[in-house]
Amino acid sequence: ASSVPLALIFNSPLSYLVLSLFAGIMCREILMDITDCEGDAKAGIQTLPVKYGKEMASRVAFGWSLVAFAAACGESLVKWVPMVISRLMSMSSGADTMSLTVASARKLVLSILGGGLFAQKTYKVLRTKGDDVILAETAVRDGLLGVLLVLASFV
């Protein structure tokens, strides 16, 4: 069986976007399952919170939120940090370098804000072990803003 090197997969911004969205959606779905745990149990639907409990589900959701955060920021960090270091080392002040740095910085800031917001809200749910349904519902709702910020960072 042949395998594709990770360096080849994560050489494209699309890879980071897809991973970030997948992980964010998984997190959000688990949070929605936490909010509807009792209804799912009554209906016999075997969701993660029904089968393993809200505490375990909130841990898994938080893990996915960290993956989403890392993927959202990953491309920016991989490209931005070496560019800034190179610019500082050469002390060039060309307009192209500056505009590229501003665009990369904007992307990084949006990624941090979006991914960080989602991770922070999910962490609050984790701290309650998934028992605060209102907090989980808020995390689901506010997670949409986080997703929009991450999407904006890839534009």
Side-chain angles (χ1 to χ4, degrees):
S2 64
S3 64
V4 178
L6 284 178
L8 187 60
I9 294 171
F10 289 103
N11 204 16
S12 164
L14 183 61
S15 299
Y16 290 96
L17 176 62
V18 168
L19 179 59
S20 179
L21 289 176
F22 176 79
I25 290 168
M26 287 298 294
C27 174
R28 195 164 179 275
E29 287 297 320
I30 294 168
L31 289 173
M32 287 192 291
D33 287 342
I34 289 171
T35 65
D36 195 30
C37 185
E38 287 76 23
D40 288 344
K42 285 179 186 174
I45 301 170
Q46 291 295 307
T47 60
L48 196 64
V50 170
K51 191 164 184 170
Y52 298 104
K54 290 181 181 181
E55 182 177 1
M56 177 59 79
S58 64
R59 288 180 184 183
V60 173
F62 182 63
W64 278 118
S65 75
L66 292 179
V67 170
F69 179 65
C73 298
E75 188 220 352
S76 295
L77 289 174
V78 165
K79 292 182 179 177
W80 192 66
V81 171
M83 182 177 50
V84 169
I85 291 171
S86 172
R87 185 167 186 273
L88 290 173
M89 298 286 277
S90 68
M91 292 297 180
S92 67
S93 59
D96 281 348
T97 306
M98 187 60 181
S99 66
L100 187 58
T101 302
V102 169
S104 297
R106 178 195 61 81
K107 184 175 188 129
L108 181 61
V109 167
L110 287 172
S111 297
I112 290 171
L113 288 174
L117 174 69
F118 205 27
Q120 185 251 357
K121 295 291 184 176
T122 308
Y123 178 70
K124 285 184 175 182
V125 174
L126 174 65
R127 284 187 25 214
T128 68
K129 299 180 180 178
D131 288 332
D132 190 338
V133 175
I134 303 291
L135 191 60
E137 288 172 349
T138 302
V140 168
R141 187 186 66 242
D142 293 350
L144 288 176
L145 176 60
V147 168
L148 288 174
L149 288 170
V150 168
L151 282 172
S153 76
F154 283 91
V155 174

